[in-house]
Amino acid sequence: MTRTISALHIEPEKCTGCRQCELACSWVQTGTFQPSRSLIRVHVFDEQASFAPYACLQCDEAWCMQACPVNAIDIDENIGAPVVIDEVCVGCKLCVIACPFGTIFFDKTTERAAKCDLCSGDPACAHACPTDAIRVETTDPGAWLEPFGEKVDTSYRNAITGEGE
Amino acid sequence: MRLLAGLRDRLAGGSHALEVDASSVRDLLTRLVGESPDFRAAEELVFESATRDRAARDLRILVNGRSVQFLAGLDTNLQSNDTVTLHLTGARGYPGG
Amino acid sequence: MTLQGGFTGTILRVDLTRGSVEKEAIREDWAREFVGGRGIAVRYLHEEVDPQVDPLSPDNKLIFATGPLTGTNASCGARYMVITKGPLTGAVTTSNSGGRFAPELKFAGYDMILFEGRSERPVYLWIQDEIAELRDASHLWGKGVFETEDTIRRESGLPDCAVSAIGPAGENLVRYAAIVNEKYRAAGRSGVGAVMGSKNLKAIAVRGTGAVRVADPVATMRSQWAMKHELTQAPLTAEGLPAYGTLALMNVINEHGALPTRNYRDSQFENAEDISGEELAETRLAANKACFACTIACGRVSRISEEGVGRYGVSCSPRNWRHATEGPEYENAWSLGADCGISDFDAILKSNWMCNDLGMDPISLGATIAAAMELYEAGVIDESVTGIPMPFGSGEALLTMTEKAAYRDGFGDQIAEGSKIMGERLGHPEVFMGVKGQEFPAYDPRALQGMGLGYATSNRGACHLRAYTVAVEVVGEPEPMDPRAAEGKGAVTKAFQDTSTAVDATGLCLFLTFGTTLESIHPILKAVTGFDLADNELLQAGERIWNLERLWNLRAGLTAADDTLPKRMLKDAIRGGPAQGEVSRLPEMLPDYYRERGWTEEGHPTAEKLAELGLG
């Protein structure tokens, strides 16, 4: 059975590295500007002139969810994404270790795990982005991944055949 | 006439300079719009409204390096070999300016 | 009164002689009167530094100041200002930079850092939230900005830290050495880097994980959205700057006949198109890059062309030629390009890159090389002095001298002094094109009269950022003013100076004024700080700061005689192009300006003016 998922659709080519998304994310959580607690992070690759915001991919069978010993991470059907249930989380960090993408964090202030919950469906980072590099998309996982997969596949083929140089 | 920046693509198919026969700045802009493949878009870019009585607010027109704002505006007469420069601009600038 | 938001409330005082780092509370009364950034730091300078001090002595102080809006999500809240007495000008120096360093300092919990004294050995300041300590920098001394930054990131184990550093130029006390953060963002002008070098301070590295709080969250969000929306509606901030960066100006200013060429001997450059924003966008632009929180993104990431990579031999060859470099800005492309008669864009990009790594101001460097080229062509100096042929247009000469200046090697030792001192030493002071020891930027003051008045009266020496009358004289916003006219330029110059100063004090970027006004910044400042600001209070703070800088300069020994332009601008008419025949009409404009300022004929603020501003 497939279900629809919601996730942030990020286009790094459009990103200018301004970090308005980090400011917006920290604002939503803390009411202050504190990028160190943002759940979306912008990576800057200076020599490639490339900026890449990344946040939780909202995996269907999420590693963090599987790893949690107290079932504090569960899919919220309204949002369509896994979320941390603060009251249940004991702050053991197993989810942080389990996540292969590094997109679930241990928040030192709350002593709980913290991950992107898409602002309950209306992400502040997407609103804050001045170049529309971040959008929220609700779709079935296949449709979401297909164009991305094709792009990666094309660059892979070009790399080994030397095309598109 | 010389075109700068975005106007090159939007008015002259990418070229930097054009030769145009015209007797005044208004005449020149009218011809420019008339010869443009998408004349509606060109008109919007160049004139404030379809009545064509004023240049667009963010268009700057220089005749031999002098803004027509300090000459006779769109009625500035042109001689042969005059250089007309068009560029877009825009800044709400400072208070008290 | 306690500070409610925007400010962290804490400053760091670093005594380099004793090696101590102390935390102290910021003067809240000054924060209210002078806002932050350039404003409050000038107030500290006024209080603590003797204006007569030798700029490179331990008695001079070096202040890094953020503003209350730095680190917030107000667009362009990325700036810090470096304030000191400058070795190029002997005047108050206020040099501004963006990037990520300033917000990081705020997140670590500090509004400002104040350096005093001089360290015996090279050190750098390490800040990680509440930890602030001096660390040995012997292994970094002599290194370029890039390697310094990479080394500190690596050895600190915190790759997210932001680093602001000097390069060899600062260490060798080049009079226009810069302080550079994130490799490409610079507090560029007036030699702030030389002051840092004189103190044996190599770098500041900071990682902050804390928060910047605001007084009124709802009003903050509402007002900053309103300003961002304005920026998307104004052609320059929505389209012009993102598409072409400041380099959009190259062709525009050239068309107006106001592009200084070959050390201001000509006012139009025949090859301007080759070094324009249009050319960059077509051939070399890799991406736009924004400073922290900036929604404009005027920063250019460029690539040197394949063919241009190996064209000139320089020994400090950057390892990433083939990849990306940043810039150039319009001013740099002009000084390293048109002013030297150079149309080789790759040479300009390389020199600009080297300026970032060596830590130098490309405007003063390019202008000084241009002055040397003039002397070379006039036969005053020859190869036996310079070591290489230095005709106008030589990319080889530009790149060789860029490197030699930073190390004060051979003739580079003269270039490193700036064109005023170099010209005097070579018996030709008339080749200096600037004011108060600082070289002009990229607008001919004979073709744009307002810029001439702005240059002459700028507190930090010739500068385009203090009164950008190009807005009214070229862009024509908010109302067009005839660039050839002298009338009304006093009032507009004063208004622009006060406005720019106010923006500088908030911690925002001056480029906002291309798309918005002080009226839109005012409510953001109010919401963030909780200050109960009257309508024109921010603008008045700008005027207050400007007058305090002026008072400090007067006490440093500057007089109205320093509010002038070189003879070439006042007597020699432009030789060709649209503005042919024009000279600067400064003698008409200056008295008008003093009147508008409420100053005496000798350029002193009157007692009434000082009382009005609370400076009496």
Side-chain angles (χ1 to χ4, degrees), chain A residues 15-20 22-24 27 30-37 41 44 46-49 51 108 127-128 130, chain C residues 71-73 100 107 209-214 217 221 225 228 287-294 297 301 319-320 323-324:
Chain A
C15 175
T16 63
C18 77
R19 297 169 197 263
Q20 281 284 348
E22 294 185 4
L23 287 164
W27 178 264
T30 69
T32 67
F33 299 111
Q34 191 176 11
S36 68
R37 286 175 71 187
R41 305 274 167 104
V44 175
D46 260 329
E47 291 184 10
Q48 284 73 35
F51 318 102
K108 276 188 275 190
H127 285 286
Chain C
T72 69
N73 73 341
R100 201 169 63 79
F107 297 135
T209 62
V212 170
R213 289 165 214 291
V214 305
M221 278 300 129
W225 274 122
K228 279 178 189 157
N288 287 8
K289 185 175 177 182
C291 290
F292 184 89
C294 171
V301 183
R319 65 198 152 75
N320 61 348
H323 301 290

Side-chain angles (χ1 to χ4, degrees), chain C residues 308-340:
Chain C
V309 168
R311 196 177 307 142
Y312 304 102
V314 284
S315 54
C316 62
S317 177
R319 65 198 152 75
N320 61 348
W321 273 148
R322 284 161 204 282
H323 301 290
T325 174
E326 281 184 41
E329 297 298 315
Y330 165 61
E331 308 293 333
N332 305 351
W334 161 80
S335 63
L336 305 169
D339 202 34
C340 291

